[in-house]
């Protein structure tokens, strides 16, 4: 677990400083806005769909290191996946960050996303870590309503 903690720190610092897919899309098929008023995280998600695949997904916004790193890793994780696969990862992610603290994350299944299992120790941080995923879900559903964690 201490190895995972160190990896958690490194990955989050790296993705916060140098977020992946941190840009807008010219002509997005879907967009969605997510807000976590408790922490002040705010993000705008853009995505393009092609034959049921998420062909591109990007974000812009501001917030804490965890929310930004989570959005960065989320876009990496779902790009090129089908909508169904992306929703499945969303559910697994949510289960992981709300699981009992003694439940080991499935590293093989979650890959880099497993670093966010560390937020279970800090309940307020769970909202930061899941914000981008809820925003993705809203964009895929095409709800068009801003997502808020409150
Ligand atoms: Zn936050």
């Amino acid at each position: 677990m201490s190895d995972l903690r160190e990896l958690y720190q490194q990955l989050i610092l790296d993705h916060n400083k140098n977020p992946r897919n941190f840009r807008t899309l010219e002509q997005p098929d879907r967009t969605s806005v997510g807000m976590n008023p408790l922490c002040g995280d705010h993000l705008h998600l853009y995505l393009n769909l092609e034959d049921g695949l998420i062909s591109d997904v990007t974000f812009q916004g501001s917030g804490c290191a965890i929310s930004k790193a989570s959005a960065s890793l989320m876009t990496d994780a779902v790009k090129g996946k089908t909508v169904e696969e992306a929703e499945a990862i969303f559910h697994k992610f949510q289960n992981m960050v709300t699981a009992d603290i003694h439940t080991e994350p499935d590293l093989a299944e979650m890959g880099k996303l497993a670093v966010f299992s560390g937020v279970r120790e800090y309940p307020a941080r769970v909202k930061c870590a899941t914000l981008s995923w809820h925003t993705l879900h809203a964009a895929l559903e095409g709800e068009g309503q801003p997502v808020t964690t409150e």
Side-chain angles (χ1 to χ4, degrees):
M1 196 67 194
S2 65
D3 283 354
L4 191 63
R5 201 174 298 239
E6 203 166 295
L7 183 68
Y8 166 84
Q9 296 284 358
Q10 282 173 6
L11 256 181
I12 287 178
L13 288 175
D14 173 37
H15 279 261
N16 176 50
K17 207 161 86 178
N18 191 12
R20 318 300 194 267
N21 307 305
F22 192 67
R23 57 192 164 84
T24 57
L25 288 180
E26 292 262 316
Q27 288 180 309
D29 292 321
R30 305 274 175 86
T31 66
S32 184
V33 174
M35 280 167 285
N36 176 15
L38 206 67
C39 177
D41 309 319
H42 184 272
L43 72 94
H44 204 129
L45 195 75
Y46 307 84
L47 68 91
N48 276 329
L49 296 169
E50 229 176 277
D51 301 326
L53 283 181
I54 299 173
S55 55
D56 208 356
V57 53
T58 66
F59 76 104
Q60 289 271 276
S62 59
C64 68
I66 290 175
S67 69
K68 211 164 173 183
S70 178
S72 174
L73 280 153
M74 181 278 286
T75 54
D76 261 356
V78 302
K79 201 181 210 173
K81 298 280 194 294
T82 66
V83 170
E84 289 74 21
E85 285 166 342
E87 291 280 8
I89 303 171
F90 165 56
H91 289 297
K92 282 174 193 161
F93 186 87
Q94 194 156 18
N95 287 340
M96 179 183 75
V97 296
T98 53
D100 178 77
I101 197 74
H102 301 295
T103 308
E104 288 291 325
D106 188 335
L107 293 174
E109 192 174 70
M110 299 308 293
K112 285 180 185 172
L113 298 174
V115 298
F116 290 100
S117 63
V119 302
R120 291 177 297 179
E121 293 177 53
Y122 313 96
R125 291 307 197 182
V126 171
K127 290 180 177 179
C128 302
T130 55
L131 178 65
S132 61
W133 289 93
H134 285 292
T135 311
L136 170 75
H137 177 68
L140 292 174
E141 296 268 295
E143 284 161 0
Q145 294 286 331
V147 176
T148 174
T149 54
E150 295 306 301

